[in-house]
Amino acid sequence: KNEVEQSPQNLTAQEGEFITINCSYSVGISALHWLQQHPGGGIVSLFMLSSGKKKHGRLIATINIQEKHSSLHITASHPRDSAVYICAVSGYALNFGKGTSLLVTP
Amino acid sequence: NAGVTQTPKFQVLKTGQSMTLQCAQDMNHNSMYWYRQDPGMGLRLIYYSASEGTTDKGEVPNGYNVSRLNKREFSLRLESAAPSQTSVYFCASSERWGGNSPLHFGNGTRLTVT
């Protein structure tokens, strides 16, 4: 099974700060997913990437296949970004990290 | 466009009772999944259906059964609920099996077994 490690586990930031969440995995993959889970519980897919970088609004996801590492960046963070961010990697089935809980304070 | 619809949102069962969680998607996706989410653990796959007419066990299938009723619907049944099945359950779907297409999740079912 592909071991997926996320760091940090918890993160508190002030509004406007640049945020980075990291994800490392143990076995080569064909795709990596970043998901967002809001306090209400719903889970939405933010990105699916297999190489390079993707950007959507203030969110940027990067992946380094050789180093088996991905980062999710949030620029100009806002309290509405407060959520749990989950990394998942492809394989026999998706393997999920335990999530990074982000709190952005005004 | 409703996406993935999952019912019920909340359920409380006594040990030994049975129930079925319903899931339907309207995106014409081939693959559907049931996950459970427990505190301190990542989402874990219970069962999946890679395509209509097939179902397979995931990581934690014990105590559960599934039915892929048609391309749209995938239900999860607990035959005799146990306190260890207290969890939040998510149904999800994707265009293709194998993690190479985006997942779409239902809103979850919070199940408590007493």
Side-chain angles (χ1 to χ4, degrees), chain A:
Chain A
K1 183 180 171 180
N2 208 336
E3 300 298 328
V4 181
E5 298 287 337
Q6 285 186 237
S7 64
Q9 201 171 342
N10 297 286
L11 182 55
T12 300
Q14 283 205 307
E15 185 173 355
E17 284 186 8
F18 180 85
I19 289 162
T20 296
I21 298 170
N22 297 299
C23 176
S24 297
Y25 51 93
S26 56
V27 178
I29 59 169
S30 55
L32 182 142
H33 300 248
W34 282 103
L35 310 167
Q36 181 190 54
Q37 184 171 25
H38 272 287
I43 301 172
V44 296
S45 179
L46 297 174
F47 296 103
M48 185 185 75
L49 64 168
S50 54
S51 65
K53 177 173 155 177
K54 284 192 176 180
K55 185 173 190 284
H56 184 249
R58 295 180 294 104
L59 300 178
I60 303 166
T62 64
I63 188 167
N64 184 317
I65 295 292
Q66 286 73 30
E67 294 188 3
K68 298 186 180 62
H69 181 269
S70 175
S71 294
L72 177 68
H73 305 287
I74 305 175
T75 62
S77 59
H78 189 277
R80 65 175 173 266
D81 297 325
S82 299
V84 175
Y85 292 85
I86 302 169
C87 170
V89 300
S90 65
Y92 161 70
L94 276 180
N95 292 310
F96 293 83
K98 293 180 182 179
T100 294
S101 181
L102 171 66
L103 176 65
V104 182
T105 59

Side-chain angles (χ1 to χ4, degrees), chain B residues 49-60:
Chain B
S49 171
S51 60
E52 185 181 0
T54 71
T55 60
D56 281 290
K57 295 178 181 179
E59 186 184 351
V60 287

Side-chain angles (χ1 to χ4, degrees), chain B residues 32-51:
Chain B
M32 297 186 74
Y33 316 81
W34 277 105
Y35 293 96
R36 61 178 287 172
Q37 186 178 42
D38 300 294
M41 306 188 76
L43 286 156
R44 292 184 293 168
L45 183 64
I46 304 171
Y47 270 93
Y48 66 94
S49 171
S51 60

Side-chain angles (χ1 to χ4, degrees), chain B:
Chain B
N1 192 342
V4 179
T5 303
Q6 186 180 337
T7 58
K9 285 193 172 182
F10 301 94
Q11 184 73 49
V12 178
L13 292 177
K14 290 187 176 4
T15 297
Q17 287 185 319
S18 62
M19 76 162 296
T20 299
L21 283 67
Q22 307 284 355
C23 176
Q25 51 91 10
D26 62 3
M27 297 169 283
N28 201 37
H29 284 170
N30 291 303
S31 301
M32 297 186 74
Y33 316 81
W34 277 105
Y35 293 96
R36 61 178 287 172
Q37 186 178 42
D38 300 294
M41 306 188 76
L43 286 156
R44 292 184 293 168
L45 183 64
I46 304 171
Y47 270 93
Y48 66 94
S49 171
S51 60
E52 185 181 0
T54 71
T55 60
D56 281 290
K57 295 178 181 179
E59 186 184 351
V60 287
N62 290 345
Y64 306 94
N65 283 301
V66 290
S67 296
R68 183 78 183 262
L69 304 167
N70 47 55
K71 193 170 187 180
R72 291 186 63 247
E73 298 173 286
F74 188 40
S75 62
L76 177 72
R77 182 159 178 84
L78 286 71
E79 290 290 351
S80 179
S84 60
Q85 294 177 305
T86 293
S87 188
V88 181
Y89 292 84
F90 287 96
C91 176
S93 70
S94 65
E95 191 176 342
R96 296 180 301 278
W97 162 248
N100 293 313
S101 58
L103 275 178
H104 297 257
F105 286 85
N107 287 329
T109 296
R110 189 172 293 275
L111 173 67
T112 302
V113 183
T114 60

